[in-house]
Amino acid sequence: MGFDKQLLASDTLKMRGDGYFSAGAFPEALDNYRIALDIARTDKDESMQVRLAGSIGNVYASIGDYQRAINYYLDGYSRAEKLGESELQFKFATNLVAAYSFLGMIQDAKAFYRVQSQLPSFNNNLKQYYLLHNQSVISHAEGDVDMALHYGQKALAFADQRELPPVLRYNELVQLARMEIKKDNLAKAIEMLSQANQMSTDSIGLQHQAELHQVIADVYSLRGISDSAALHTSIYEALSDSVFNQKQIYLASNRLFDSENQHAQQRIAYLVNNSRRLWGVILAFVVLVGVIAYLLWRLWIRNRDLHTAYAALIEKQQEIMVANSDKAPSMRVHTLDDAQTRDLFEKIDAAFNNPAVFCKADFSLEVLAETVSSNSNYVSKVINEVYGQNFRSVLNRQRVREAVRRMSDHQNYNNVTLQGIYQECGFTSASTFIQAFKREHGMTPSTYLKLSHQESSPTAHQSFTASQAQEIKAL
């Protein structure tokens, strides 16, 4: 970023980061928060460190990295508790309930919900809203959609009555629409999404707008309105490209990790030096039993902190190793000789030509690496070099080919719907299947299926089942 730390105060950098966050510029927000955190640590500004922990946690929650978000929220909650800032404790507890719920950690979510309900808030209206909202989130995570709808509708009504910030009503409408989709109430879902889509976007972040259009695309796809589904899918992709710039987020996260790593090492050095000084004092006053006992107790405390710091450093190192493996395998240097490359390619190609393998919904780069007895770095490198495409593109191509084979096999798959075919081939949503199919064949699956039946006998064309005809309209 090129900032001069001496010229910018931590609160100025935090305000700048908040502006980037509101605009959906998450990498820039992380960079500003990181530099502000370095300055706050140097100035020993505990209050600012608490607020920055919340801001960084919010960035990771917005991009779906809830585990990292929880780490920062827990750190902020602990610091706020030590400072006696109950209002900040309430905000952290509120965010922790949602983050734990999204990860399916229900007991932890409920524990912080109890904490949240007992803490005071600077705004009783917001407190009541978040209690209703988080009760809906917990119920949804438990699989009780009816109860989640009940509390979500109460939260929405409360936000309307008390004229709370528009973004709260916006988010509630989108979440309620998701739940109505699960109950197959598509008309109700579209009504709620239309209300959200009509709201002013001035106070609503780009990531929320992207989520809205993704849900709208899914609803239209389920209702068989392919043109509207494609339109909202394109809007979602455009917003996602703008907001979720994975490469820049990855680089900003690495810079933040390096800063955290440096701070941890400084803390370790500080604790080590303190431990040495304490041992010197112990040796100097060996004859004073009482002083020795006191110093040993102090040494135990320091060593405990030292082990905690070492554990935190190791955990962060493991985290960045996983992140590097998952998000940027091409940045690591790995080499294979020609024989190893050919052998690995043959195994990969065999997996990609075995529908029993690649049609599994949970088939991923890591699963493929395990299947061919290699690692994801080597597998990704061979796929990129040999196929000229990334793993996801090759996987979608093979799944589409398998779907085409089944759609053309009227003898064995005549009574199987298009939804059944694409789900059996590993696709989890109609919109993803349609997009992948059009990339490969330049037409929708329904058009291809019609042409396929027209090329066969008229009798075969007339033998469409009612479910197939309905499915063609849907896709």
Side-chain angles (χ1 to χ4, degrees):
M1 299 291 289
F3 291 140
D4 186 341
K5 295 183 181 180
Q6 301 302 319
L7 297 178
L8 293 175
S10 58
D11 56 350
T12 302
L13 286 164
K14 184 182 182 303
M15 289 176 60
R16 182 179 293 180
D18 292 342
Y20 280 124
F21 177 79
S22 299
F26 296 138
E28 292 81 358
L30 272 181
D31 279 326
N32 279 272
Y33 292 148
R34 169 179 55 82
I35 298 172
L37 185 58
D38 286 343
I39 296 173
R41 284 170 173 164
T42 301
D43 296 340
K44 297 182 179 179
D45 187 344
E46 285 290 330
S47 180
M48 179 56 67
Q49 290 182 56
V50 171
R51 287 163 174 76
L52 287 167
S55 297
I56 295 172
N58 290 341
V59 172
Y60 282 120
S62 297
I63 62 177
D65 193 341
Y66 296 112
Q67 188 55 63
R68 282 195 182 184
I70 287 172
N71 292 338
Y72 281 99
Y73 288 152
L74 288 174
D75 178 62
Y77 179 87
S78 176
R79 291 176 181 273
E81 186 176 32
K82 291 178 181 178
L83 294 175
E85 294 192 22
S86 57
E87 291 181 7
L88 285 175
Q89 283 181 259
F90 175 83
K91 292 180 180 179
F92 281 114
T94 299
N95 291 344
L96 282 164
V97 172
Y100 276 127
S101 296
F102 290 138
L103 289 179
M105 303 170 69
I106 308 301
Q107 295 307 315
D108 292 308
K110 288 183 176 180
F112 274 99
Y113 183 83
R114 290 190 292 270
V115 172
Q116 174 194 10
S117 63
Q118 295 169 4
L119 287 168
S121 172
F122 68 99
N123 186 317
N124 287 328
N125 285 336
L126 283 177
K127 177 178 180 179
Q128 185 60 33
Y129 165 79
Y130 279 118
L131 288 173
L132 291 169
H133 173 78
N134 277 350
Q135 187 62 63
S136 174
V137 170
I138 292 173
S139 298
H140 193 221
E142 289 180 315
D144 191 344
V145 180
D146 289 332
M147 190 60 68
L149 275 170
H150 170 74
Y151 283 108
Q153 289 164 354
K154 292 186 69 175
L156 178 61
F158 187 88
D160 286 337
Q161 293 169 3
R162 304 304 169 93
E163 298 182 351
L164 297 182
V167 68
L168 300 181
R169 183 172 185 272
Y170 184 95
N171 289 336
E172 207 64 50
L173 284 167
V174 175
Q175 295 309 313
L176 284 170
R178 287 185 182 278
M179 289 183 272
E180 293 290 359
I181 292 172
K182 284 192 173 183
K183 292 182 67 65
D184 204 29
N185 296 330
L186 300 185
K188 186 67 174 177
I190 289 178
E191 177 185 345
M192 291 179 171
L193 293 170
S194 297
Q195 293 180 42
N197 198 28
Q198 292 169 6
M199 295 177 65
S200 171
T201 60
D202 292 343
S203 59
I204 298 168
L206 290 179
Q207 73 274 20
H208 297 302
Q209 297 177 47
E211 179 186 23
L212 170 65
H213 288 285
Q214 180 186 34
V215 178
I216 293 176
D218 288 341
V219 174
Y220 279 131
S221 180
L222 290 171
R223 296 197 70 179
I225 309 176
S226 58
D227 291 342
S228 297
L231 171 63
H232 287 280
T233 296
S234 65
I235 296 174
Y236 162 71
E237 291 175 347
L239 291 172
S240 296
D241 290 341
S242 175
V243 175
F244 302 108
N245 189 325
Q246 293 296 331
K247 180 179 179 180
Q248 294 303 318
I249 290 174
Y250 172 76
L251 293 175
S253 294
N254 270 358
R255 289 190 286 270
L256 176 61
F257 172 77
D258 289 340
S259 176
E260 296 281 13
N261 187 34
Q262 183 179 4
H263 173 71
Q265 290 176 342
Q266 291 172 350
R267 178 65 177 165
I268 290 171
Y270 170 79
L271 292 173
V272 169
N273 290 334
N274 276 359
S275 296
R276 290 173 180 173
R277 284 195 295 269
L278 287 173
W279 276 113
V281 172
I282 291 172
L283 294 175
F285 295 93
V286 66
V287 294
L288 302 175
V289 177
V291 175
I292 291 175
Y294 170 75
L295 291 175
L296 286 173
W297 175 75
R298 287 293 304 275
L299 181 62
W300 178 82
I301 293 295
R302 294 294 185 183
N303 284 337
R304 183 191 63 182
D305 291 345
L306 178 62
H307 286 305
T308 301
Y310 272 123
L313 177 60
I314 292 172
E315 181 180 350
K316 286 187 176 293
Q317 289 173 336
Q318 292 174 341
E319 181 181 346
I320 196 62
M321 289 174 65
V322 173
N324 286 338
S325 175
D326 291 342
K327 299 180 180 178
S330 62
M331 298 180 67
R332 298 187 176 190
V333 178
H334 296 286
T335 59
L336 294 171
D337 59 34
D338 291 344
Q340 291 173 323
T341 300
R342 285 195 300 271
D343 180 62
L344 183 54
F345 166 70
E346 289 175 358
K347 294 179 180 178
I348 293 171
D349 193 57
F352 273 133
N353 283 283
N354 186 354
V357 175
F358 67 76
C359 284
K360 293 181 179 178
D362 61 350
F363 187 66
S364 64
L365 179 62
E366 290 71 23
V367 173
L368 175 58
E370 183 178 350
T371 301
V372 301
S373 302
S374 184
N375 62 61
S376 56
N377 293 326
Y378 289 137
V379 172
S380 178
K381 186 173 185 295
V382 170
I383 290 174
N384 290 335
E385 290 179 354
V386 177
Y387 290 96
Q389 295 177 308
N390 59 28
F391 167 78
R392 182 57 55 184
S393 298
V394 176
L395 175 60
N396 284 342
R397 184 189 68 190
Q398 294 303 107
R399 286 177 171 174
V400 166
R401 288 181 177 178
E402 178 61 17
V404 167
R405 186 189 69 78
R406 299 187 184 196
M407 291 161 62
S408 303
D409 187 353
H410 305 309
Q411 180 178 355
N412 296 315
Y413 292 92
N414 193 48
N415 292 322
V416 181
T417 65
L418 279 178
Q419 181 180 4
I421 288 175
Y422 76 68
Q423 287 180 344
E424 288 178 359
C425 291
F427 290 99
T428 56
S429 71
S431 59
T432 303
F433 173 57
I434 293 171
Q435 292 173 27
F437 197 98
K438 289 176 70 176
R439 277 195 296 269
E440 291 295 321
H441 297 282
M443 66 180 74
T444 63
S446 59
T447 301
Y448 182 90
L449 188 60
K450 288 178 181 178
L451 293 175
S452 173
H453 278 277
Q454 288 173 1
E455 289 175 358
S456 56
S457 68
T459 304
H461 178 67
Q462 294 172 358
S463 66
F464 278 8
T465 64
S467 60
Q468 281 181 310
Q470 184 64 29
E471 192 68 18
I472 289 174
K473 293 179 181 178
L475 297 178

